[in-house]
Amino acid sequence: MTKLEFLLSLREALSGLPQDEVLERLNFYREMIEDRVEEGLSEEEAVAAVGSVDEIAAQIIEEISHTKQQAKPKKRLTAWEIVLLVLGSPVWLSLLIAVVAVLFSLYVSLWAIIVALWAVFASFIGCAFGGIAGGAGFALGGKPFTGLAMIGAGLMCAGLSIFAFFGCKAATKGAVLLVKMVARGIKKRLENRREVE
Amino acid sequence: MDTQLKRGLLDVCVLAAIQTEESYGYKIIKDMKPYVELSESTLYTILKRLETGKMLTVRTAEHGGRLRKYYRITTEGLRRIEEFKVEWKEIMAIYRFVTKGENGNDKA
């Protein structure tokens, strides 16, 4: 194969790739062949020494697609993209506000539930005290059975409040965990967007 | 050999080939041949990488009626060679440890 045949063949094999890169590499191989010829090899020998067109082309293609993947994270906005972004803002901006509003209301609701649970706990405690105190009052005031019943109810509330306490603690912990997980999930989504672009 | 390791080593090899004076593509391959085989495509990638890393500079000059690219090492490139020499001492120490006790090699 002559030098020209080699180079043309190689160029054809790389026809799908960015031509500035291809040109650079063709020049490189041309130089390599010519240097060998200068050393005393015949053109055929020089071309053979450099390698086969298919092998070299395969290597180059793999390399270029490799670096293309790595070169992706370029976060540059073209002028056109900026214009579109501004023009479309009534749409995407209001959608964004809606999404944030929904997320916020969900967040508030979650904590409202937690607060309600603690309120239940507090009311158990309240009833416990009330029952015991009131019952004692009744018992001492001449109505022992009513008093006893009230004290009993009060004690029951006290017991329930203990359960309620652990339940509320667990629920609060769960809520905090949930919020953390969601926050992390959102962060990851945003980061992935950056990488993909 | 591990590809990543080889790649780093070949980079330093090429730098060493242009350490004392500037050189060109084929001459680099020739100079390295007694020690290590280097293909054209590998050399191209290495030279591109070293250029991006500012460890060498390129200039095009006329030679015998055609154009040839000459590569010259930079201070950054020289620094990398020195770095490699230091790294190599560490590798040697690890090697001695790994082969300690083999074939009567008791020197730690």
Side-chain angles (χ1 to χ4, degrees):
Chain A
M1 201 188 262
T2 69
K3 180 175 71 183
L4 199 57
E5 284 170 358
F6 174 86
L7 292 173
L8 287 175
S9 180
L10 187 56
R11 185 171 75 170
E12 206 191 301
L14 302 175
S15 53
L17 299 171
Q19 287 303 296
D20 53 341
E21 284 222 40
V22 172
L23 193 60
E24 226 185 287
R25 287 169 195 264
L26 285 176
N27 270 317
F28 183 79
Y29 283 97
R30 177 192 53 76
E31 199 188 299
M32 288 292 171
I33 297 173
E34 286 168 355
D35 281 336
R36 281 184 157 84
V37 167
E38 197 181 276
E39 287 268 307
L41 266 66
S42 74
E43 203 176 274
E44 305 274 335
E45 290 168 338
V47 170
V50 161
S52 87
V53 174
D54 295 325
E55 264 175 36
I56 296 176
Q59 264 177 316
I60 294 177
I61 293 174
E62 199 205 316
E63 249 175 58
I64 294 191
S65 51
H66 220 54
T67 45
K68 271 265 141 98
Q69 277 172 22
Q70 286 172 357
K72 259 322 171 150
K74 274 196 206 161
K75 249 242 136 199
R76 275 183 303 168
L77 282 181
T78 66
W80 181 233
E81 283 170 335
I82 295 179
V83 169
L84 282 179
L85 213 58
V86 170
L87 285 182
S89 61
V91 178
W92 62 259
L93 194 58
S94 43
L95 279 175
L96 185 65
I97 293 176
V99 169
V100 171
V102 168
L103 283 175
F104 184 67
S105 55
L106 283 173
Y107 181 75
V108 171
S109 317
L110 180 67
W111 287 112
I113 294 176
I114 300 294
V115 168
L117 288 173
W118 282 105
V120 170
F121 165 70
S123 58
F124 276 140
I125 294 197
C127 289
F129 277 119
I132 295 175
F138 271 112
L140 295 173
K143 293 217 169 129
F145 293 117
T146 319
L148 206 59
M150 272 192 86
I151 292 178
L155 286 173
M156 203 171 69
C157 282
L160 285 171
S161 72
I162 296 177
F163 281 126
F165 175 71
F166 289 111
C168 285
K169 208 169 111 166
T172 315
K173 266 198 187 153
V176 170
L177 211 65
L178 185 66
V179 171
K180 270 196 185 151
M181 270 171 48
V182 171
R184 216 186 305 151
I186 294 180
K187 210 175 122 181
K188 255 200 190 152
R189 271 282 217 79
L190 288 176
E191 275 169 7
N192 278 346
R193 279 271 193 78
R194 300 257 134 142
E195 275 174 32
V196 167
E197 277 169 24
Chain B
M1 205 198 298
D2 175 47
T3 2
Q4 282 279 54
L5 182 62
K6 191 162 198 177
R7 197 192 299 166
L9 292 175
L10 287 178
D11 282 4
V12 182
C13 269
V14 171
L15 283 175
I18 58 174
Q19 191 177 198
T20 44
E21 56 171 3
E22 73 174 3
S23 188
Y24 55 95
Y26 181 54
K27 184 160 182 295
I28 295 176
I29 293 185
K30 254 201 321 174
D31 290 343
M32 279 172 62
K33 201 185 281 274
Y35 300 88
V36 58
E37 282 284 335
L38 191 60
S39 75
E40 270 75 1
S41 27
T42 315
L43 179 62
Y44 179 87
T45 323
I46 295 175
L47 288 170
K48 263 258 114 62
R49 190 164 48 234
L50 291 175
E51 193 187 341
T52 316
K54 305 234 194 303
M55 296 198 225
L56 55 73
T57 54
V58 193
R59 71 176 178 99
T60 320
E62 213 217 296
H63 173 90
R66 57 189 178 92
L67 289 180
R68 180 190 264 172
K69 281 200 170 154
Y70 288 91
Y71 305 93
R72 182 187 289 274
I73 200 168
T74 61
T75 30
E76 191 60 36
L78 287 165
R79 207 185 52 79
R80 175 76 193 103
I81 293 182
E82 292 310 307
E83 208 177 78
F84 169 76
K85 291 185 195 163
V86 172
E87 282 167 4
W88 191 247
K89 295 212 181 86
E90 289 178 40
I91 298 178
M92 286 299 300
I94 294 174
Y95 179 79
R96 281 199 298 275
F97 177 70
V98 168
T99 56
K100 185 169 55 123
E102 277 178 28
N103 308 322
N105 178 14
D106 273 297
K107 305 182 204 140

